[in-house]
Amino acid sequence: MAQLYLAPMEEVTGYLFRQILEKHFGGVDTYFTPFLSPVSGRSFKTRQGREFDPAHNAGLHVVPQILTDDVDACTEMIGILTDLGYPEINLNFGCPSGTVVKKGRGSGFLRDPEGMDRFFERLFSLNPPVPVSVKTRLGFADSAEWPRILEVYNRYPISELIIHARVREDWYGGTPDREAFAYAYENSKAPVCYNGDITSAAEYGELLAQFPAMHAVMIGRGAVTNPGIFREIRSGAVMTAEELRAFHDDLYRAYVNLWGVKDTLFKMKEIWGYLGDRFPDAERAKKHIRKCRTEAEYLAAAGELLG
Ligand SMILES: Cc1cc2nc3c(=O)[nH]c(=O)nc-3n(C[C@H](O)[C@H](O)[C@H](O)COP(=O)(O)O)c2cc1C
């Protein structure tokens, strides 16, 4: 059995989502936070303070993710997070967003293996106080770039390589490249974690049959569509309709308490972008969710789907 990780998803897998998933289903070994972009000399903004408040992550194994190309800002933030008690830090080398890429960060870093080399050389020469793992894609435009990128990663004591088996130009579409992933499985010095399009216990089983020594599997969108997926992979217990309803109601209430109704509706619409896949024949109710403006409208539409 590989370790199971919840993927970081900006605006989706924040601390309330993580806590409520853990409470209702569990089965996750490690929760990764959505990325934090540190600025040298500055600590957290209010919202980040909430996200990384140890009280909000108590009882869960949570790994903060940092996105930067600035070693000093990165090192300072690793210090702050380590002082708060986080046991590991993850670095983002996968974000495909245009603004991030333009700055040479996230997947933009992958276009510059020499720059990556300099970044890691300096970072590891400063002896980070906790293990540092990397979440990466297979390249920027083409997975032919991958062996060169892996060569850089292999030079450093990276604790784990989490591989979203796509290149930046794929964004989130197309089919993950298992062949290029297999190259990492064979040649990575660090233990590898597979990420990309695992949406059922059966798909997890097929993946592990292909890569039996896999260290970990990370699931993102599949866990928003089915928050019970980790428990199901572990024990075979499939999420029931009642369990989904209880999870949803808990999440909705927690969001309203923190954000108020307007922002909560925005966030729930985002979640329904994935959860809605469970209800392929319910276009009308899903449209009501997308269009709703009030709590009453939202609850009526969600209730139609959740029973
Ligand atoms: C809405 C959204 C937000 C995401 N935010 C992050 C992020 O903050 N950090 C990160 O490393 N990956 C982020 N990702 C990528 C996911 O972690 C994951 O690599 C990707 O969705 C593929 O896995 P999946 O097919 O299991 O979802 C995001 C993906 C989505 C769809």
Side-chain angles (χ1 to χ4, degrees):
M1 173 101 207
Q3 297 263 304
L4 297 177
Y5 297 166
L6 178 71
M9 288 175 69
E10 205 188 0
E11 299 289 345
V12 181
T13 62
Y15 76 91
L16 288 172
F17 187 93
R18 299 194 295 268
Q19 277 179 358
I20 291 169
L21 188 152
E22 175 76 14
K23 174 178 153 197
H24 287 261
F25 304 106
V28 178
D29 291 297
T30 302
Y31 291 89
F32 288 76
T33 73
F35 71 77
L36 163 73
S37 295
V39 179
S40 194
R42 279 196 233 155
S43 183
F44 298 131
K45 298 179 189 146
T46 313
R47 194 171 158 176
Q48 294 167 343
R50 272 202 297 264
E51 177 69 16
F52 296 101
D53 180 343
H56 291 158
N57 293 299
L60 274 61
H61 191 253
V62 173
V63 173
Q65 186 187 65
I66 295 177
L67 178 141
T68 189
D69 60 338
D70 174 343
V71 177
D72 295 314
C74 187
T75 304
E76 277 172 41
M77 188 46 76
I78 292 177
I80 292 171
L81 292 164
T82 305
D83 287 346
L84 288 173
Y86 290 100
E88 176 189 328
I89 298 298
N90 179 256
L91 301 181
N92 180 322
F93 280 72
C95 179
S97 135
T99 43
V100 166
V101 163
K102 231 187 327 186
K103 294 179 188 155
R105 301 176 182 164
S107 63
F109 230 144
L110 304 177
R111 281 189 296 197
D112 178 19
E114 286 75 28
M116 288 172 61
D117 206 354
R118 285 192 298 274
F119 175 90
F120 285 123
E121 182 164 12
R122 176 121 194 282
L123 180 73
F124 284 107
S125 74
L126 295 171
N127 287 322
V130 289
V132 174
S133 60
V134 167
K135 181 164 179 282
T136 184
R137 291 187 180 233
L138 295 165
F140 190 83
D142 193 309
S143 56
E145 301 158 28
W146 180 233
R148 169 78 183 103
I149 293 168
L150 184 62
E151 196 185 301
V152 175
Y153 291 138
N154 274 346
R155 253 182 246 148
Y156 297 96
I158 290 165
S159 64
E160 183 174 7
L161 209 49
I162 301 169
I163 301 166
H164 178 192
R166 288 187 165 89
V167 296
R168 187 268 181 173
E169 301 283 275
D170 294 332
W171 290 77
Y172 296 101
T175 311
D177 184 344
R178 291 262 179 108
E179 212 174 297
F181 175 81
Y183 181 82
Y185 181 80
E186 299 294 339
N187 295 289
S188 169
K189 234 177 66 185
V192 291
C193 168
Y194 175 88
N195 170 235
D197 289 20
I198 297 299
T199 61
S200 69
E203 284 168 11
Y204 168 88
E206 284 161 24
L207 180 74
L208 265 282
Q210 192 181 353
F211 302 106
M214 185 87 83
H215 179 253
V217 176
M218 174 179 268
I219 304 178
R221 291 167 295 178
V224 187
T225 308
N226 174 8
I229 191 168
F230 300 102
R231 184 189 71 183
E232 183 181 340
I233 288 172
R234 269 182 206 290
S235 71
V238 177
M239 177 177 72
T240 65
E242 291 72 28
E243 284 180 317
L244 178 60
R245 169 103 219 196
F247 169 84
H248 166 274
D249 291 357
D250 228 7
L251 189 67
Y252 179 80
R253 281 294 144 221
Y255 279 2
V256 169
N257 285 339
L258 181 64
W259 306 103
V261 170
K262 190 163 163 249
D263 287 356
T264 297
L265 294 188
F266 181 81
K267 283 181 162 288
M268 294 311 292
K269 287 176 190 184
E270 178 95 15
I271 286 184
W272 275 101
Y274 305 99
L275 201 52
D277 292 350
R278 305 187 69 80
F279 305 95
D281 302 324
E283 262 326 305
R284 218 176 59 97
K286 287 196 280 188
K287 188 165 161 211
H288 287 159
I289 289 178
R290 285 196 297 273
K291 303 259 170 208
C292 74
R293 289 162 166 269
T294 65
E295 175 160 79
E297 283 170 6
Y298 173 76
L299 292 176
E304 224 179 287
L305 293 171
L306 296 169

